[in-house]
Amino acid sequence: MASGVPAQRFSAFKCIYAEIKKGLDLFILHVGTWFRVEGTFQTAVEKYFTALPRKAFAPPFMQYAHAGERPYNEAVCAASPRTHGMLDRQLIQFGGTYDKIEVCDIVKVPVGASKGFEFIHVKRGRSSATLSHLFSQGLVASTLLVRESSFVTEVNKRLATLPIKALPSKFLAAGNEVVYAIINGPAGTPLDLPFFSKVTLQNCGKSISAFGYSVSLMHIPESAAHLAAVAAKVAKKKAAKTTRGKKKMQRSTGPISPGTASP
């Protein structure tokens, strides 16, 4: 606040999220409280996550080495403009509970023997809140496509600005696919998610599948050069913070003479 007095105080401990496995048990720290996940529930969630089909990582998708999700999505669509359309941030005003909806980040049109569209939702990172929002966003858009013909009309207006085939006016979920593409970690590492995100994925995935869509996950790896650059940036910030801390201490305690021993 302008007065310098914090509007609210809370423990930094409440900002920490952690998952710890001890034997067969999973313990989660959330908002300052520890929880033990019930065994059968944990098994069911992990089973769904493991069994969910993985979409092959292949061109036009590329390793992530970009300034953000939007530049990455633009690069993918530019690499295959006839099959992949950019819908990132193409928000559709839809009244009621659903205000502004993003149908997906990238739409892939049917190619060859395939008769279905792929609605690809792309997200970077492992934050539970971010990923859970991604899964919920996919559910909302998938629901509107099958329930609201006017929403399909609006989607086709966006597709008309691209060299992309329009959706059928009488859209049916069967034969179409919802793909959650998650950018995280180097190539060769298995995709994993926070447990809370797996719970949201299971709830949303089952609801999407109930409409007739197929649901899959894609792991988009970060390039080695990008990971190295990120690590260097973090190290630089850490070093700068340490330097500022030393200077602040020197200002408050005065210069320390060489060879002066501590009492």
Side-chain angles (χ1 to χ4, degrees):
M1 298 180 65
S3 64
V5 179
Q8 184 178 5
R9 293 179 181 273
F10 58 90
S11 171
F13 183 65
K14 291 185 177 181
C15 300
I16 300 173
Y17 176 85
E19 296 182 8
I20 296 178
K21 288 186 177 181
K22 185 177 181 181
L24 298 177
D25 292 327
L26 174 63
F27 296 89
I28 294 178
L29 174 63
H30 181 62
V31 196
T33 302
W34 282 101
F35 300 90
R36 183 179 70 83
V37 180
E38 198 277 325
T40 55
F41 178 67
Q42 178 188 350
T43 300
V45 171
E46 294 291 353
K47 183 179 180 180
Y48 178 85
F49 177 74
T50 302
L52 201 63
R54 266 45 174 184
K55 196 76 176 176
F57 173 69
F61 289 90
M62 60 201 74
Q63 291 193 6
Y64 181 87
H66 301 71
E69 292 165 18
R70 185 175 178 83
Y72 177 83
N73 295 334
E74 288 174 339
V76 170
C77 294
S80 187
R82 293 185 178 181
T83 59
H84 291 70
M86 175 75 169
L87 290 178
D88 187 3
R89 301 187 191 180
Q90 295 293 315
L91 301 180
I92 296 175
Q93 187 78 35
F94 208 80
T97 304
Y98 311 114
D99 190 11
K100 292 182 178 180
I101 309 299
E102 185 181 77
V103 64
C104 62
D105 293 300
I106 299 172
V107 60
K108 179 184 177 183
V109 301
V111 178
S114 172
K115 296 182 180 180
F117 287 79
E118 292 180 16
F119 301 97
I120 305 168
H121 301 264
V122 182
K123 186 60 66 177
R124 180 170 178 255
R126 296 189 70 248
S127 164
S128 182
T130 298
L131 292 175
S132 295
H133 174 75
L134 173 73
F135 302 142
S136 298
Q137 182 184 58
L139 173 59
V140 170
S142 301
T143 301
L144 289 176
L145 284 171
V146 296
R147 289 186 175 176
E148 303 290 343
S149 59
S150 56
F151 183 74
V152 176
T153 300
E154 292 301 318
V155 173
N156 281 335
K157 287 180 182 178
R158 305 305 189 277
L159 295 180
T161 65
L162 307 169
I164 292 293
K165 177 181 177 182
L167 301 178
S169 56
K170 293 184 178 180
F171 181 85
L172 298 176
N176 298 291
E177 183 174 8
V178 175
V179 181
Y180 290 117
I182 300 173
I183 304 166
N184 181 260
T189 58
L191 177 65
D192 198 10
L193 306 176
F195 185 76
F196 279 170
S197 293
K198 291 178 182 177
V199 174
T200 307
L201 173 61
Q202 176 180 260
N203 294 337
C204 294
K206 286 186 174 181
S207 296
I208 293 171
S209 297
F211 287 121
Y213 297 96
S214 58
V215 181
S216 63
L217 286 172
M218 179 194 295
H219 178 209
I220 299 176
E222 299 172 83
S223 73
H226 174 75
L227 290 171
V230 171
K233 188 175 181 180
V234 171
K236 185 177 180 180
K237 285 184 177 180
K238 186 176 180 180
K241 185 177 181 180
T242 300
T243 301
R244 287 196 300 270
K246 288 180 178 179
K247 289 181 178 179
K248 185 176 181 181
M249 182 177 294
Q250 288 177 352
R251 286 195 299 269
S252 61
T253 61
I256 299 176
S257 300
T260 302
S262 300

